[in-house]
Structures are given as structure tokens and as C-alpha cells.
Amino acid sequence: MTTGPAIPTVNLYGLTRSVYTRIARLVLQEKGVAYTLHEVEIFGPSGVPEAHRARHPFGRIPALEHDGFWLYETGAIARYVDDAFTGPSLQPVDPRTRARMSQVISVLDSYGYRPMVWHVFVERVGQPLRGRAADETKIAAGLSASAQCLDALTALAQWQPFALGADLTLADLHAYPMLCVLALAPEGQALLNRYDGLRHWLEAMQARSSVQGTRTLYEAQPPTARQT
């Protein structure tokens, strides 16, 4: 009796609400890879679980395990999943377009993530849900830095229909979770409304099944019911 090839086992360790965990999940879902998400709370009062430090020595998320192969850092995970599994390619073949994809991702990591997520979203949405006052100074600084990042992104990429043109790439999947949470803050949405291309791109991305399948509690629940 013959059997088919074993189904690869992919385990992802992170948090459903995490921007970077969502990036990895979007890539896995766009590639059609079955995986198991293991929730790892790294922000609790006890800090990073010791078991997780064996997966990621810096205590960040996500980390990925595939048939005994361990990997951390979201960019490395995304590229590995795209290269290791069949399905639509998420990386351009043309060297210049691929370089632009990497540049967009780097800009988001270096100049977008902290102001968009921690200074705007966390302060305006997350802190009030914890019963704490938002830091208006952080929000103002975050909006200014976010605008600078969005200016750069619109200069680097066309965002119609996707970031780099006709095909979905890792740049889109890296950008969506960050811009999504920015838009959950009223000031963030107002800022994004100034960029027609990015706003239309964000709306189109929201209809993708991978995005629908990875919605966070912040998107899935009305504001009064959200929790952090």
C-alpha cells in the first residue's frame, strides 16, 4: 500500500492581536499553508515565558517551526514560507521590483511600526480600554512620524491595485496590519484619508479572505466591547 507525502507541520508562536504575528499569518494563508497558531502572551505581568525564549532569544513574536526547522524574525519567516511552499509567488522576480519590496518593508519596520502602532493606536485605542488616559503628546508625535512614513511609502510604491503594481507581494502583507491598526484610531483614519491611493488599497485589502481570516478582536468587536 502506498501513501502520499506527509503533510508538513507548521507551528506559529505569537499573538492573534500582534501586528507581526498577523503578517506571518497573512503570508501563510495567502500561500495556502495549514498551520497551528499557539498563543504566547509576552506582555503579561510575568513577562516573556521562559519556554518562548528558547524559540526567540529576544522574547519577541512570532516564531515559526516547520518539521523541526525553527525560525524567528518576521521578514525571514515571510520569505521562507514563500520560498518553501507551493502557491502564488509573493516576491517579484525583477531585481529592481524585489529591491523596492524590501525597501518598503524596511521603511515600515524602521519608521512606521512604532509611531503607527505604539504611539497612535495603543495610546488612542489600547490605553482607554485599560482604563488609562491616552498620552496626547505621544499621539501627536506618532501622527507626525506616521505622516512622514506615509509620504515615503507613497513616493516609493503606487498602491494600485497592490503596493508594487498588478501582483500581491510581501510588501502588501507587511503593510496591511500596521496601516489597519493606524486606521482604528480616529486621527489615524483621518491621516490615511489624505492619501487616496493608500486608502483605496487598504479598503481593497480588507476584502481578501486572508485578511478576513486573521481579523483581530479590535476589528471584530464594536469599540465598547474591545479588550486588550
Side-chain angles (χ1 to χ4, degrees), residues 73-155:
E73 292 301 297
T74 305
I77 290 170
R79 288 168 173 82
Y80 172 75
V81 170
D82 189 39
D83 291 336
F85 296 95
T86 59
S89 177
L90 299 173
Q91 299 178 84
V93 175
D94 172 67
R96 292 187 178 185
T97 310
R98 184 177 285 227
R100 188 69 76 205
M101 178 196 77
S102 297
Q103 186 180 26
V104 167
I105 291 171
S106 182
V107 166
L108 286 161
D109 286 341
S110 299
Y111 313 110
Y113 170 69
R114 184 153 292 278
M116 291 179 190
V117 179
W118 285 99
H119 293 166
V120 178
F121 169 74
V122 169
E123 287 300 325
R124 179 59 72 214
V125 179
Q127 293 288 48
L129 291 173
R130 298 184 180 96
R132 303 170 186 166
D135 186 326
E136 300 296 337
T137 301
K138 282 187 179 179
I139 292 173
L143 288 168
S144 177
S146 296
Q148 184 180 12
C149 182
L150 296 180
D151 286 343
L153 291 175
T154 54

